[in-house]
Amino acid sequence: MRIAVGGIHTECSTYSPVLMTTEDFRVLRGTDLLNAEYFNFLNADGVEHLPLLHARAVPGGPVSHAAYETFKAEFLERLEASLPINGLYLAMHGAMNVDGMDDAEGDWISAARAVVGPDCIVAASYDLHGNVSQQIIDQLDIFAAYRTAPHIDVRETMVRAWSMLVDALKSGQRPGVAWAAVPVLLPGERTSTEDEPTRALYDMLPRFDEHPGILDANLMIGYVWADEPRATACGVVTGTDKAAAAAVAEEIARSYWDAREGCQFGPVTGPLDAMLDIAEACETAPLILADSADNPTGGGVGDRADVLNALLARKFEHALVAGITDRPAVEACFAAGLGETLALRIGGSLDPSSTPALVEAEVLFLDNPGALPERQAVVRIGGVTVVLAARRRPYHNIADFTRLSLAPETVRLLAVKSGYLSPELAPIANPNLMALTEGVVNQDIENLESKRRMRPAFPFDREFDFQPRARLSARWQG
């Protein structure tokens, strides 16, 4: 059996003014894809694995049309060169927005289907914060999505999709996909699988898998910061029995609709000043403060200095801000040198809508991996230490700090650009506070500009009725 592997994986806030380009993506091609740890589960017996192209970027603004077409053209060229194939596995995210295009994943997957033809079995794995459309479903035979947020089952999900594909090819039984949209759009911070009621909804999914005719049941939360027609929550089911799959998709959709009013923030949450009032009175440490609206892993720009300015105004001591994206500031630190003090303008280098911090800073640490975009600098401004990054990136893993000789567990307050905390930071938070800050992924969902979404949809609208209606993939309707 010959199975090709590839895809494109990112998440895009349509409210961001910063377009992503080819330089924002990490691209795996050919044998580099097969040798990458991310894909090292591709080792099925009796399968010839055909690596194509996989492009992945930290979430951000829309992908430039030129960058998307560049990746798509190379992917399709490699796919055509791999023919004939029996199966195609696509490792996707599902919330990509391309400048000037609706339903980018629908375009990508449809183009792939046009190359491989109707007989090839196509499987896709998705982030649960991806947006699904009928166009996407119509091209697929197999679908699997994450069941945890924070995402601790990425590999498990990819293995689910891959295993269903291999099993289908070996058994000769072709599965299909049913889905039922839910007119609800909530952020991940109000639908974490660590909090109720969402936790109970996701706990049910493996039980659906045990039903006759059902292979894989999924609840898609969707991506709320994409003002586009396909943005919606939905139930998506892979199965071998059409009626059973449709019934389960509708049950999942109904369960989320019924739970929608109960979806609330997990940590203590409020305006930045209120959270800092709590922080100043807090006697435990480290307190971790999430700057929720500028979170790069949710599509934020990552260059706002609002939290830094607020900490400096309060003369807060023993605080660590990690980090702020500002390439000019990083370059200025490298030009000044380790141990030097210099005037810096921090923040607003990508999105000038925010107020930068104008400071005198001492350079504490310089990280130079070689490539200019990967450089980082650590500076001290009074009682606040700040990590500066040349490239948009999060600081959600302990290794991000140890590389810079920082120990987040030893500070009084750690401010990170995040929504819900990552699995590595959450255990050390004592406590965790989330600030409702300004930015392109802000949590004021009800007041987001909404010009292109399908309406009515909760929480933008509240007084309307809903009955789930499942639809089958066009490939499964015959």
Side-chain angles (χ1 to χ4, degrees):
M1 294 181 294
R2 291 167 55 83
I3 302 179
V5 180
I8 188 165
H9 188 291
T10 193
E11 183 178 62
C12 306
S13 168
T14 60
Y15 301 100
S16 173
V18 184
L19 293 183
M20 284 198 276
T21 67
T22 55
E23 288 74 25
D24 290 300
F25 286 80
R26 181 202 68 173
V27 183
L28 298 172
R29 299 174 171 89
T31 55
D32 287 342
L33 187 155
L34 290 182
N35 293 332
E37 182 179 359
Y38 192 66
F39 285 104
N40 66 7
F41 60 88
L42 300 174
N43 57 359
D45 292 337
V47 171
E48 183 178 359
H49 304 84
L50 306 170
L52 306 174
L53 169 147
H54 189 262
R56 181 168 185 168
V58 170
V63 178
S64 74
H65 196 83
Y68 173 76
E69 291 296 342
T70 296
F71 290 133
K72 177 184 167 185
E74 182 181 349
F75 169 81
L76 294 177
E77 180 181 355
R78 289 175 176 271
L79 181 58
E80 289 175 355
S82 299
L83 297 179
I85 61 173
N86 306 101
L88 172 63
Y89 167 52
L90 299 172
M92 310 293 283
H93 180 288
M96 176 172 60
N97 178 275
V98 174
D99 189 33
M101 175 187 292
D102 279 334
D103 199 359
E105 281 88 0
D107 178 77
W108 183 283
I109 298 171
S110 295
R113 171 61 74 185
V115 171
V116 302
D119 295 332
C120 179
I121 299 181
V122 179
S125 58
Y126 263 55
D127 189 308
L128 64 87
H129 297 125
N131 290 325
V132 175
S133 68
Q134 188 66 42
Q135 181 182 12
I136 291 168
I137 297 298
D138 282 346
Q139 314 307 318
L140 297 176
D141 305 286
I142 292 166
F143 182 97
Y146 306 164
R147 290 172 171 174
T148 60
H151 307 315
I152 58 174
D153 67 333
V154 174
R155 183 183 181 89
E156 178 183 329
T157 301
M158 297 172 76
V159 170
R160 279 165 40 214
W162 171 255
S163 298
M164 284 190 286
L165 174 56
V166 173
D167 289 347
L169 290 172
K170 288 183 175 181
S171 69
Q173 185 174 34
R174 185 182 296 270
V177 182
W179 77 300
V182 191
V184 174
L185 269 175
L186 292 170
E189 287 69 28
R190 283 160 65 175
T191 53
S192 169
T193 59
E194 295 186 350
D195 302 320
E196 298 295 354
T198 317
R199 180 174 182 171
L201 299 180
Y202 278 87
D203 284 347
M204 284 295 298
L205 297 181
R207 302 176 200 175
F208 287 126
D209 295 348
E210 298 173 0
H211 289 196
I214 303 300
L215 298 179
D216 201 88
N218 302 277
L219 170 58
M220 301 294 291
I221 298 298
Y223 182 67
V224 69
W225 293 291
D227 186 12
E228 58 184 16
R230 67 170 180 162
T232 186
C234 59
V236 186
V237 177
T238 301
T240 57
D241 182 302
K242 298 175 186 178
V248 169
E250 290 179 354
E251 186 172 348
I252 293 170
R254 167 56 67 184
S255 70
Y256 188 39
W257 172 259
D258 290 345
R260 68 193 185 283
E261 293 282 2
C263 295
Q264 304 295 331
F265 297 117
V268 175
T269 303
L272 176 59
D273 280 342
M275 296 301 97
L276 290 180
D277 287 344
I278 295 174
E280 287 184 326
C282 191
E283 297 181 357
T284 57
L287 183 151
I288 300 185
L289 177 71
D291 178 2
S292 63
D294 202 30
N295 171 20
T297 62
V301 178
D303 74 338
R304 296 184 68 96
D306 306 13
V307 172
L308 173 59
N309 279 326
L311 290 171
L312 294 175
R314 291 172 178 249
K315 296 182 171 53
F316 206 98
E317 294 288 331
H318 306 297
L320 171 59
V321 177
I324 297 176
T325 302
D326 193 325
R327 186 165 177 173
V330 172
E331 292 177 350
C333 290
F334 272 82
L338 192 63
E340 296 299 316
T341 299
L342 71 160
L344 277 181
R345 181 184 188 275
I346 298 176
S349 63
L350 296 173
D351 179 2
S353 67
S354 62
T355 302
L358 306 177
V359 300
E360 292 287 320
E362 178 188 359
V363 181
L364 299 181
F365 192 93
L366 296 172
D367 179 38
N368 184 9
L372 292 178
E374 304 304 324
R375 285 182 169 182
Q376 303 173 85
V378 181
V379 301
R380 181 165 54 214
I381 309 158
V384 181
T385 300
V386 184
V387 178
L388 303 173
R391 183 196 293 274
R392 294 176 53 259
R393 53 159 298 166
Y395 290 84
H396 292 178
N397 298 321
I398 298 300
D400 299 331
F401 297 92
T402 55
R403 179 182 179 88
L404 304 174
S405 296
L406 297 170
E409 68 278 6
T410 66
V411 303
R412 179 182 172 199
L413 180 147
L414 168 64
V416 290
K417 293 185 181 294
S418 180
Y420 48 66
L421 293 186
S422 68
E424 292 194 20
L425 291 184
I428 69 169
N430 190 22
N432 165 212
L433 304 176
M434 189 171 76
L436 300 177
T437 48
E438 297 294 322
V440 302
V441 290
N442 72 74
Q443 299 290 331
D444 186 13
I445 304 304
E446 288 81 351
N447 292 310
L448 286 178
E449 182 181 63
S450 186
K451 294 181 177 180
R452 307 189 66 241
R453 292 184 181 86
M454 297 295 290
R455 304 288 290 272
F458 180 87
F460 309 100
D461 312 287
R462 290 182 178 270
E463 301 301 323
F464 67 100
D465 295 325
F466 165 70
Q467 292 296 329
R469 182 178 65 86
R471 289 177 284 178
L472 301 179
S473 164
R475 294 176 51 75
W476 212 23
Q477 291 176 8

